[in-house]
Amino acid sequence: MIRHIVFFSVPEGGDADAIERGLSQLTENPHASVLEIGRNTRTDLYDQKVDFVVYGEFEDDAALAAYRAHPIYEKSTAEVRPLREMRIAADFDSAKAVKTRLP
């Protein structure tokens, strides 16, 4: 399983509600097994730069590629890109993830 995590920030004076609406379209993309959009609760003591998190789970690399190629993804990206400030994304294979303490 591929886990896809994206962090977004809203510029000062930006429209967080419009960004959330734009990102919410991604929940209709049929290629994700799980897709969630959350607002940062800002409980971290060290960094407050992230406003939104997109979290997705995909059966494999092909499903993630299909998600990114889908018209819903393209539409969401076109709406959100001019409204957001920062975007950082990471993908990892859950089967290869470290799940216990290393020696």
Side-chain angles (χ1 to χ4, degrees):
M1 173 190 316
I2 305 299
R3 297 186 195 267
H4 173 68
I5 304 167
V6 187
F7 298 100
F8 292 90
S9 67
V10 180
E12 188 172 331
D15 190 344
D17 292 336
I19 291 173
E20 187 172 45
R21 278 191 304 276
L23 291 173
S24 74
Q25 298 172 75
L26 297 171
T27 63
E28 297 177 351
N29 189 315
H31 300 287
S33 302
V34 172
L35 203 295
E36 301 173 345
I37 291 96
R39 286 193 187 218
N40 186 359
T41 59
R42 302 204 182 275
T43 57
D44 186 77
L45 300 175
Y46 305 106
D47 194 348
Q48 300 295 317
K49 295 175 186 161
V50 173
D51 294 299
F52 288 98
V53 178
V54 173
Y55 172 80
E57 294 179 0
F58 300 86
E59 187 175 320
D60 51 29
D61 289 325
L64 179 57
Y67 166 82
R68 289 181 173 141
H70 196 280
I72 288 173
Y73 180 86
E74 292 177 16
K75 185 174 187 293
S76 175
T77 299
E79 289 181 24
V80 172
R81 182 180 289 135
L83 302 175
R84 62 143 168 99
E85 190 169 52
M86 179 259 323
R87 178 190 180 276
I88 298 173
D91 304 312
F92 69 95
D93 185 337
S94 179
K96 297 177 183 176
V98 174
K99 297 180 183 176
T100 60
R101 184 176 176 175
L102 298 175

